[in-house]
């Protein structure tokens, strides 16, 4: 009979005993590790939450939209309209994002989609600004050219009392943005503010380089009265072209057709251009009056233009009826002497004059939604096209445009 030695049993039981002893401590170590991991995960979540809250506080987002129905009683081309109903020409959608890099530094971007540009996305604003403690602010990037009273709100229809800023003034300058910078300084008085702004940069429009833009404007306001003056100059280098329709014949059918052809009308060789303007407004919360007058001059045969308007309005609860009288007149028709077909075409395109009268109604249907109804009648074309490229044969000597529009901000 085999008898097991007691030591043998002891050696076999030893691992079990060790395991029995170590198991509670291992479990405790695992629990401590899991608890530590949980604490670290909570710390990460807290940091992420703080970072998200910080980003949310630093980021603001706004949008605006306009939808318009526009039609005219003829095809003169005023405001890009025709006798057909147009829902795209003045419809637009914009988004503006502002990120506060610090309490004094911001990055701003405004993206626009316009019906007249097939809803392509374009950046109207894209700049960084910094405000110093002494009241000076500098901005750099893509900015709006500050030529008019409503330049900063040109696409935000809700911020405008009328259906649109008068085309006679706001349509006289073919570009609205530039790449560059500006510096402004606010002088605070007891009940008013004087803002002095200088700007400079460059831009491009079609085939023309708009270089060496420099200018300044001065604005004073006490929130009821606003007075403004601006001067700017630049050099234009490139060509001015227009698309014309040439009568032709379809080779396959023999039927008459029209072919679009790009025709260079003028060549600009660093021609100097200047712009000057003054404006004023009065708004006591009930009665509204706005006026602007501008002059733009370009060396050579390109049009020199004088233009201006006066708008009067009166708020009755949510309704603001208004009237506007505006004019546009080229000042250098004698420099475009007609000697042949080419010069005749140049004179027909660049000579222009008209007077326009608008009557409209703004209805603030909601706190952020305005409906606008506008009828604009333009005449006094004289012996010109009225300033409309599609009327160079002077088929029309007046035009009436009807507009129904909504402007909303969100």
């Amino acid at each position: 009979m085999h008898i097991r030695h007691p030591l043998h049993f002891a050696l076999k039981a030893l691992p079990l005993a060790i395991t029995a002893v170590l198991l509670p401590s291992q479990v405790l170590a695992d629990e401590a590790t899991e608890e530590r991991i949980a604490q670290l995960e909570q710390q990460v979540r807290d940091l992420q939450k703080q970072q998200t809250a910080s980003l949310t506080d630093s980021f603001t987002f706004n949008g605006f939209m306009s939808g318009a129905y526009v039609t005219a009683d003829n095809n003169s081309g005023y405001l890009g309209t025709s006798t057909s109903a147009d829902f795209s020409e003045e419809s637009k959608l914009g988004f503006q994002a502002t990120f506060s890099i610090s309490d004094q530094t911001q990055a701003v971007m405004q993206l626009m989609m316009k019906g007249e540009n097939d809803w392509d996305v374009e950046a109207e604003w894209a700049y960084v600004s910094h405000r110093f403690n002494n009241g000076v602010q500098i901005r750099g990037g893509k900015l709006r050219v500050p030529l008019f009273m409503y330049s900063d709100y040109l696409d935000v229809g809700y911020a405008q009392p009328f259906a649109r800023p008068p085309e006679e003034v706001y349509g006289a300058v073919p570009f609205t943005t530039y790449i560059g910078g500006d510096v402004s300084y606010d002088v605070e008085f007891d009940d008013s503010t004087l803002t002095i702004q200088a700007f400079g940069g460059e831009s491009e429009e079609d085939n023309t380089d708009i270089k060496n833009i420099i200018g300044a404007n001065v604005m004073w306001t006490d929130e009821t009265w606003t007075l403004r003056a601006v001067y700017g100059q630049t050099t234009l280098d490139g060509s001015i072209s227009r698309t014309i329709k040439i009568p032709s014949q379809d080779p396959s059918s023999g039927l008459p057709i029209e072919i679009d052809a790009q025709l260079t009308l003028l060549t600009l060789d660093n021609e100097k251009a200047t712009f000057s303007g003054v404006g004023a407004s009065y708004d006591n919360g009930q009665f509204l009056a706005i006026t602007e007058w501008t002059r733009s001059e370009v060396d050579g045969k390109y049009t020199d233009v004088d233009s201006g308007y006066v708008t009067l309005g009166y708020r009755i609860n949510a309704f603001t009826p208004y009237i506007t009288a505006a004019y546009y007149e080229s000042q250098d028709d004698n420099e475009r002497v007609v000697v042949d077909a080419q010069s005749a075409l140049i004179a027909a395109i660049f000579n222009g004059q008209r007077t326009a009268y608008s009557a409209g109604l703004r209805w603030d249907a909601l706190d952020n939604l305005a409906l606008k109804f506008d009828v604009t009648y333009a005449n006094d074309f004289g012996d010109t096209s009225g300033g409309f490229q599609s009327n160079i044969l002077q088929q029309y000597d007046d035009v009436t445009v009807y507009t129904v529009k909504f402007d909303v901000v969100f």
Side-chain angles (χ1 to χ4, degrees), residues 11-239:
L11 291 175
K12 290 190 65 175
L14 181 59
L16 295 174
I18 293 173
T19 301
V21 171
L22 293 181
L23 185 58
S25 59
Q26 182 64 44
V27 170
L28 291 175
D30 291 344
E31 291 178 349
T33 301
E34 291 176 357
E35 183 178 356
R36 180 56 180 161
I37 291 174
Q39 290 176 349
L40 291 173
E41 289 176 345
Q42 184 60 44
Q43 290 177 352
V44 170
R45 284 194 292 269
D46 291 343
L47 289 173
Q48 289 176 335
K49 188 176 180 180
Q50 293 174 6
Q51 188 174 25
T52 301
S54 178
L55 286 172
T56 302
D57 292 340
S58 301
F59 186 82
T60 57
F61 182 81
N62 306 99
F64 49 90
M65 181 178 183
S66 296
Y69 162 81
V70 186
T71 189
D73 65 347
N74 62 40
N75 294 320
S76 62
Y78 187 36
L79 295 167
T81 60
S82 67
T83 54
S84 299
D86 190 319
F87 294 91
S88 299
E89 187 67 25
E90 297 192 24
S91 296
K92 61 190 71 174
L93 174 64
F95 300 100
Q96 180 166 313
T98 302
F99 182 76
S100 297
I101 300 172
S102 71
D103 291 342
Q104 296 171 293
T105 307
Q106 291 183 326
V108 178
M109 174 172 281
Q110 184 184 98
L111 299 178
M112 286 298 308
M113 290 163 280
K114 299 180 180 179
E116 61 178 319
N117 296 332
D118 297 326
W119 300 102
D120 291 339
V121 180
E122 301 173 356
E124 291 291 315
W125 297 98
Y127 66 84
V128 174
S129 69
H130 181 81
R131 181 175 291 278
F132 296 91
N133 294 328
N134 58 3
V136 174
Q137 179 180 251
I138 58 173
R139 302 187 302 175
K142 187 173 185 180
L143 301 160
R144 186 80 72 182
V145 186
L147 299 180
F148 306 108
M149 298 273 286
Y150 288 91
S151 285
D152 283 350
Y153 314 103
L154 202 56
D155 291 316
V156 187
Y158 185 82
Q160 305 163 11
F162 20 54
R164 68 183 68 83
E167 177 70 7
E168 284 65 34
V169 171
Y170 283 74
V173 178
F175 70 104
T176 59
T177 60
Y178 72 103
I179 305 294
D182 66 17
V183 55
S184 60
Y185 178 59
D186 293 338
V187 182
E188 300 290 344
F189 300 103
D190 288 342
D191 298 314
S192 63
T193 302
L194 176 69
T195 301
I196 304 168
Q197 180 186 35
F199 56 92
E202 62 181 15
S203 187
E204 182 179 3
E205 183 69 20
D206 294 331
N207 298 317
T208 302
D209 292 327
I210 305 167
K211 303 182 296 185
N212 306 317
I213 300 172
I214 57 171
N217 65 66
V218 179
M219 185 179 75
W220 172 87
T221 182
D222 65 355
E223 304 297 333
T224 300
W225 287 94
T226 298
L227 304 175
R228 189 177 189 276
V230 59
Y231 174 83
Q233 67 179 49
T234 184
T235 55
L236 306 178
D237 189 35
S239 60

Side-chain angles (χ1 to χ4, degrees), residues 138-371:
I138 58 173
R139 302 187 302 175
K142 187 173 185 180
L143 301 160
R144 186 80 72 182
V145 186
L147 299 180
F148 306 108
M149 298 273 286
Y150 288 91
S151 285
D152 283 350
Y153 314 103
L154 202 56
D155 291 316
V156 187
Y158 185 82
Q160 305 163 11
F162 20 54
R164 68 183 68 83
E167 177 70 7
E168 284 65 34
V169 171
Y170 283 74
V173 178
F175 70 104
T176 59
T177 60
Y178 72 103
I179 305 294
D182 66 17
V183 55
S184 60
Y185 178 59
D186 293 338
V187 182
E188 300 290 344
F189 300 103
D190 288 342
D191 298 314
S192 63
T193 302
L194 176 69
T195 301
I196 304 168
Q197 180 186 35
F199 56 92
E202 62 181 15
S203 187
E204 182 179 3
E205 183 69 20
D206 294 331
N207 298 317
T208 302
D209 292 327
I210 305 167
K211 303 182 296 185
N212 306 317
I213 300 172
I214 57 171
N217 65 66
V218 179
M219 185 179 75
W220 172 87
T221 182
D222 65 355
E223 304 297 333
T224 300
W225 287 94
T226 298
L227 304 175
R228 189 177 189 276
V230 59
Y231 174 83
Q233 67 179 49
T234 184
T235 55
L236 306 178
D237 189 35
S239 60
I240 304 297
S241 302
R242 293 289 187 275
T243 300
I244 62 173
K245 294 185 179 299
I246 300 176
S248 184
Q249 189 176 50
D250 189 325
S252 59
S253 64
L255 297 174
I257 60 174
E258 290 184 332
I259 300 175
D260 290 338
Q262 196 76 6
L263 178 64
T264 299
L265 299 173
L266 297 176
T267 299
L268 302 171
D269 184 15
N270 290 317
E271 307 287 1
K272 181 180 179 181
T274 63
F275 179 92
S276 54
V278 292
S281 69
Y282 175 82
D283 188 347
N284 65 1
Q286 189 169 45
F287 179 71
L288 172 68
I290 314 163
T291 184
E292 287 186 82
W293 177 87
T294 66
R295 167 169 290 176
S296 58
E297 297 179 325
V298 182
D299 290 347
K301 295 183 179 180
Y302 195 84
T303 313
D304 297 344
V305 173
D306 280 0
S307 61
Y309 74 89
V310 176
T311 293
L312 302 176
Y314 192 82
R315 296 186 179 90
I316 307 171
N317 297 322
F319 298 92
T320 307
Y322 66 85
I323 55 173
T324 296
Y327 85 100
Y328 168 101
E329 184 175 6
S330 56
Q331 299 294 312
D332 56 348
D333 295 358
N334 58 344
E335 294 185 15
R336 290 178 287 275
V337 180
V338 177
V339 295
D340 53 22
Q342 175 82 1
S343 60
L345 180 61
I346 292 174
I349 289 178
F350 291 104
N351 296 350
Q353 67 177 58
R354 65 178 180 273
T355 304
Y357 307 93
S358 300
L361 175 68
R362 171 181 172 136
W363 173 30
D364 287 282
L366 298 173
D367 289 341
N368 62 340
L369 170 66
L371 299 177

Side-chain angles (χ1 to χ4, degrees), residues 383-395:
D383 57 356
T384 76
S385 64
F388 310 134
Q389 180 181 325
S390 53
N391 190 36
I392 58 175
L393 298 180
Q394 301 179 23
Q395 294 173 275

